[in-house]
């Protein structure tokens, strides 16, 4: 089995979803067959506690925070994965963006 595509899972504030999608689409991610801008977005609840030295987008150092964010799922050609993650990090407001890169088997 060959891995030619990956799935990106990106956790971000809802206000960033469109700009992240648009940047990834311009790279050639978010394309499935004859379609582009293909994403799935779901709301999720998260928790985080900024540690000393952190500069949080939301929350206070030392305090456990809870909030809603969006999980953006995108299919991306494997050869574009590094550039896609770099693009997300440039646009993302979090100090430590969460981006999962999962291999997809071509069967």
């Amino acid at each position: 089995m060959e891995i030619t595509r990956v799935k990106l899972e990106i956790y971000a504030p809802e206000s960033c979803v469109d700009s992240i999608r648009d940047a990834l689409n311009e790279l050639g991610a978010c394309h499935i067959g004859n379609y582009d801008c293909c994403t799935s977005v779901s709301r999720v609840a998260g928790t985080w506690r900024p540690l000393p030295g952190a500069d949080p987008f939301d929350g206070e150092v030392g305090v456990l925070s809870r909030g809603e964010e969006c999980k953006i799922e995108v299919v991306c050609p494997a050869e574009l994965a590094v550039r896609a993650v770099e693009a997300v990090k440039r646009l993302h407001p979090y100090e430590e963006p969460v981006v999962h890169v999962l291999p997809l088997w071509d069967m």
Side-chain angles (χ1 to χ4, degrees):
M1 287 179 277
E2 186 178 2
I3 296 173
T4 60
R5 300 173 303 139
V6 298
K7 179 173 110 173
L8 304 178
E9 293 180 349
I10 305 153
Y11 293 83
E14 186 174 3
S15 61
C16 298
V17 170
D18 291 343
S19 62
I20 289 172
R21 182 206 54 233
D22 293 346
L24 293 174
N25 193 64
E26 281 184 31
L27 282 176
C30 307
H31 291 229
I32 299 176
N34 292 324
Y35 295 84
D36 72 353
C37 295
C38 299
T39 60
S40 293
V41 179
S42 53
R43 290 201 170 141
V44 297
T47 61
W48 63 95
R49 180 180 14 239
L51 300 174
D55 182 21
F57 170 76
D58 190 14
E60 293 180 44
V61 172
V63 178
L64 182 64
S65 297
R66 289 177 166 73
E68 278 194 5
E69 59 187 346
C70 290
K71 179 170 83 167
I72 308 162
E73 297 178 84
V74 174
V75 174
C76 175
E79 68 270 9
L80 297 179
V82 170
R83 289 178 48 210
V85 171
E86 289 169 350
V88 169
K89 288 182 176 182
R90 276 193 306 276
L91 291 168
H92 208 293
Y94 294 174
E95 185 176 19
E96 299 289 341
V98 176
V99 181
H100 300 148
V101 181
L102 308 165
L104 298 174
W105 291 348
D106 293 322
M107 300 173 73

